[in-house]
Amino acid sequence: MHDRPTFSPFWHRVRVMRPRLRPHVQITRQHYRGQRWHVVHDPGNNQFYRLNPVAYECVGLLDGRRTVEEVWKLALTRHGDMAPTQNELIQLISQLYNSNLLAVDDAPDTEQLLRRGQDRRNKKIRAQAMSLMYFKIRLINPDRILTWLEPIFRPVLNRVGLVLWAALVLAALVAVIPHFEELASGVDDVVAPSNWLWLGAVFVVTKLIHETGHGLICKRFGGQVPELGFMMLVLFPAPYVDASAAWGFESKWRRIAVGAGGMIFELFVAAIAAFGWLATRDEGGGGSLISQICYNAMFTASVSTVIFNANPLMRFDGYYILSDLIEMPNLMQRSQNMLKHLAQVYIYRVKDATPPSYVRDEQVILVVYGLLAIAYRVFLFITITLYVMGKFFALGLFLAIWSTAVWFIVPIAGFVHWLATNPKLADHRTRAVFVSLLLLAAGAGLLGLVPWPDHRRGEGVISSAAKTGVFAGVDGFVTEVYKRPGDLVTQGEKILSATSPELDATISALEATLDEVIGFERRAIAENPSAAEIAAEKIRTLREQLASMRDKRERLIVRAPHDGVVVGRDPATLHGAFLKEGSEICTVVDPSSLRVTATLSQAEASWLFQLKREDFDVQMRLASNVPVVLEGDQVRVIEAAQRELPHAALSFAGGGTIATDQQDQSGRQAMRGQWELRIDPLIPTSDRAAWAGLPGERVHLRFTLPSKPLLTQWLDGLRKATQGKVDL
């Protein structure tokens, strides 16, 4: 058995009390990991509390006639070492009393009752303030609406309905998978500012359907849904319902069904939207409003559901489903308490510290989950803050300051208070303070003094040192296309052919005129020598004009200027089009002289001018062949920031990361100046075949700079993120 202090110095305050459960309290039996538990529920304020069998028996003995001490002595007699200690019984009574689940037959203290209600409200307000990135606003009680809807949906809220739902979702997946590339290319349109209004409207509607799913399934199993409102996710409204009545369900599968109900309903919407998108995507050239709305619904009802709602590291649906699957309620709180317990025992040597679980496999799960949740919280804090600061700097800065205070400063203050006042540290508080300062110094040294590899990332495209643009030589209509991007060509090989009726007519007229003048010259030689000389001069002029026109007609066949590979614009898209002289057709590059052309923003490029080439390394990975890593050799920087991108593949529209001017039709005019780098890859002979013929392919770059402390790297990243917005 684990050692627990039996007696409490505060026992005299409660031992003669005669509390009892309030008469309206409901109790449900549940099983977790083979053990029986009881859930105490107050329908009035929707408060829940779980009791193990021994605690439940103690609460049952509190009938308003027995004193607390009599109940404790009975528990000792019946359960021995398994009985609660005085401290544990005091804590149990206190928590039930503060949750308004326990009553005491003394004269009612109105002020105390009001203070308890006010304390609960203040606690809720503090919790809302500490969750500024996702605080809740209550609107209505939807129970009456859901009671009316539940009989309508009851025929499908069963196993048969689940099978039909799975068949529909599977059919939608099978239908859209052949169009995956088209789906992926549409993501840029979804996140475009012009689509934000429709995306927001579809998001709210799909999330309302999501929450309706929770509520309907909860009602289906007899639960109450007393609250509907909006949760402000990073100040963006998302509907929510209070389906916490499911916590009292005896069957864990019913609790899981309520937790998964929202995702089930939302994925149903995604499946219907998928079929709608397939049926309407070609209307209006593929850009119809209905098609875009269906795509928005697919995007929000599938991607957001899988990434956020199904994520068990956030207290959304996936978290509660995981808790019920592994039968570990209050997983988040208990994992944090487990980490605190380990710190108290192994760092501060606190005796008699009570762990949240004595079962070994539960302890392992709590530790792993707690560490993952902390890492994810830090990741979420950084990514959301930087994203919001990039869009709305003042709002992002406010969220960063508030979240830092709530997620980091407040816990640190709580730790300092524990360190200064906890009675278990009374005998060795000085040692505990010294250990804390030592850990702080070690952490500061690890972050501020120890060098860590400094990696910077970028994107580029494969280009050729020898490339030639191919242009139309003469006005004409394209009739034949012989080559497309990726095709090998030799010098003089046909790329496309065009015709020009006007040019043909001109040549025919010149040929007829020439024949006529030649006939006139022959007659004039015998009759009028001077007229023959004039005719001969005219014949020479006509032949020059005819040769020029025939040369133009020959240029209607566009040929490769040298050996290489066709890249860039697809000539096939020009079939039947009218090309004016000088119009761009494509580009021919020499695949034997490849290089990578990359861009860095002005904020990211400062190190290029501070370091010599031998001070940093470059590694490159093809987007289509990520496992293959190549080293970079020579790096040349164009000595001026440019807004024109070296390739459209680097822009948002081309799948890259650089925002371009919406007014620019070429897709290559960046919103801000970029520094252009040209890097020669060291391609082993065995890998040359993999790189040949790939100009225009996107490449991921990683630059490894001299090692620096992490704190220096983070401050440098913050300075770059806020560059031009605030002085740091």
Side-chain angles (χ1 to χ4, degrees), residues 558-570:
V558 179
R559 301 178 184 275
H562 55 75
D563 295 352
V565 178
V566 175
V567 298
R569 186 176 185 178
D570 187 354

Side-chain angles (χ1 to χ4, degrees), residues 497-508:
S497 296
T499 61
S500 174
E502 182 181 355
L503 184 58
D504 291 340
T506 301
I507 291 175
S508 297

Side-chain angles (χ1 to χ4, degrees), residues 35 82 102 112 212 237 259 282 321 326 338 372 404 447 468 508 598 614 650 655 678 696:
Q35 296 183 357
M82 296 299 296
L102 207 62
Q112 186 182 34
T212 302
D282 291 328
I321 293 173
I326 63 177
M338 188 69 207
L372 290 175
T404 300
L447 297 178
T468 305
S508 297
E614 57 270 19
L650 297 174
R678 294 174 181 174

